[in-house]
């Protein structure tokens, strides 16, 4: 595989090289005549250092650099030259030469496309140790008011977060959960499900929603907020399932149901 990105530059340089040669010949002829010699006398040999200096002075003239490529063109030529050498090396090391290299590249692209289609866009997983509340404690009513204010402005992520905090804080105020700092949403849902078994699945779904928008980089919508707000209202009307040890009395069938 050969890339000839500098072909035009090389062609343009051929005329400049011819001009350089002619200039050197003129400089040498001028030096000989300046030495006082005539055409019948033996030629004068110019030492190496003066000849090099004369050539350098001649080549430094502006007329030889009018068609020189710019910095960007030189960088581009160097890149194509490097890519040409890289592809030639890869083709020589691949069975089948250039055709084999193309087959390998297409195979790699197909594998990457299949993995992308199968796994989807990578998402950052929520941290398992992330806490539910910040350092400033607030009541359930304050969290509900904050969630409703965010919902009125269409800030659904913040509305979901505040409503989930309102649920957990309300359960703590009702002593259905112990007030424990550092609790995560998953831990709160798991513990609340023991006393409110009828809402276990919804509590866990709300905790996942909270983790997704808070630590997973996802965006909540209005429906997400409405589901959590409805859960909050249902929990407010729900009687906890308490253990009864009275002999001969069957467990109440209303445990965990709304009052």
């Amino acid at each position: 595989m050969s890339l000839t990105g500098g072909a035009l530059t090389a062609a343009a340089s051929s005329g400049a090289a011819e001009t350089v040669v002619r200039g050197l010949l003129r400089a040498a002829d001028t030096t000989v005549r300046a030495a006082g010699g005539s055409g019948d006398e033996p030629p004068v040999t110019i030492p190496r250092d003066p000849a090099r200096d004369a050539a350098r002075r001649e080549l430094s003239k502006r007329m030889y650099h009018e068609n020189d490529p710019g910095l960007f063109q030189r960088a581009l030529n160097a890149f194509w030259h490097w890519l040409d050498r890289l592809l030639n090396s890869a083709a020589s090391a691949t069975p089948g030469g250039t055709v084999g290299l193309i087959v390998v590249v297409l195979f790699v692209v197909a594998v990457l496309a299949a993995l992308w289609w199968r796994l989807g866009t990578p998402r950052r997983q929520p941290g398992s140790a992330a806490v539910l509340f910040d350092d400033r404690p607030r009541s359930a009513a304050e969290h509900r008011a904050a969630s409703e204010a965010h919902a009125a402005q269409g800030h659904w992520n913040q509305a979901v977060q505040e409503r989930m905090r309102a649920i957990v804080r309300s359960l703590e105020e009702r002593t259905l959960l112990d007030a424990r700092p550092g609790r995560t949403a998953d831990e709160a849902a798991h513990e609340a499900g023991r006393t409110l078994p009828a809402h276990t699945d919804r509590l866990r779904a709300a905790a996942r929603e909270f983790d997704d928008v808070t630590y997973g980089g996802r965006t909540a919508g209005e429906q997400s907020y409405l589901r959590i707000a409805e859960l909050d209202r249902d929990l407010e009307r729900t009687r906890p399932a308490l253990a009864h040890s009275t002999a001969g009395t069957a467990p109440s069938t209303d445990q965990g149901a709304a009052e």
Side-chain angles (χ1 to χ4, degrees):
M1 302 177 74
S2 178
L3 300 175
T4 57
L8 293 178
T9 303
S13 301
S14 61
E18 182 179 356
T19 306
V20 170
V21 173
R22 292 178 180 176
L24 291 177
L25 290 177
R26 288 198 302 270
D29 184 59
T30 302
T31 305
V32 171
R33 288 199 299 270
S38 63
D40 298 333
E41 295 178 356
V44 177
T45 301
I46 303 176
R48 178 180 301 175
D49 291 342
R52 184 173 59 249
D53 294 339
R56 185 180 296 111
R57 287 193 300 272
E58 182 68 22
L59 292 175
S60 65
K61 293 181 178 179
R62 183 181 180 84
M63 58 182 296
Y64 300 121
H65 304 282
E66 292 178 351
N67 298 322
D68 286 354
L71 179 62
F72 175 76
Q73 185 62 42
R74 292 198 300 271
L76 187 61
N77 291 341
F79 168 75
W80 286 120
H81 181 64
W82 171 81
L83 185 61
D84 184 32
R85 289 186 302 170
L86 178 65
L87 293 178
N88 285 334
S89 299
S92 61
T94 303
T98 302
V99 177
L101 178 61
I102 294 175
V103 171
V104 171
V105 171
L106 292 178
F107 175 76
V108 172
V109 171
V111 170
L112 293 177
L115 290 175
W116 189 275
W117 176 82
R118 179 66 179 86
L119 301 178
T121 303
R123 293 189 179 95
R124 184 166 56 92
Q125 297 297 325
S128 58
V131 297
L132 182 64
F133 295 102
D134 53 21
D135 295 333
R136 185 173 68 88
R138 290 184 290 176
S139 66
E142 289 177 313
H143 285 297
R144 287 194 187 98
S147 72
E148 292 170 356
H150 285 304
Q153 300 179 27
H155 301 161
W156 303 116
N157 277 21
Q158 294 88 337
V160 165
Q161 291 169 332
E162 290 299 325
R163 201 70 184 208
M164 184 62 191
R165 290 173 180 138
I167 290 175
V168 177
R169 185 67 76 200
S170 175
L171 295 176
E172 290 177 351
E173 292 172 353
R174 295 169 61 188
T175 67
L176 300 180
L177 287 177
D178 61 307
R180 176 164 53 85
R183 174 186 279 121
T184 66
D186 289 334
E187 291 171 347
H190 178 73
E191 294 169 12
R194 290 198 293 263
T195 55
L196 300 168
H199 301 288
T200 300
D201 293 339
R202 297 172 66 191
L203 283 166
R204 291 177 178 175
R208 286 194 300 269
E209 193 77 38
F210 176 88
D211 287 343
D212 286 343
V213 301
T214 306
Y215 314 109
R218 297 189 181 181
T219 302
E222 182 178 4
Q223 294 302 317
S224 299
Y225 170 73
L226 293 178
R227 284 194 298 269
I228 295 181
E230 183 181 8
L231 173 63
D232 184 23
R233 290 189 292 268
D234 291 344
L235 291 175
E236 284 291 294
R237 300 190 300 267
T238 299
R239 187 169 59 236
L242 302 177
H244 297 279
S245 59
T246 304
T249 302
S252 174
T253 57
D254 293 335
Q255 291 176 352
E259 290 183 340

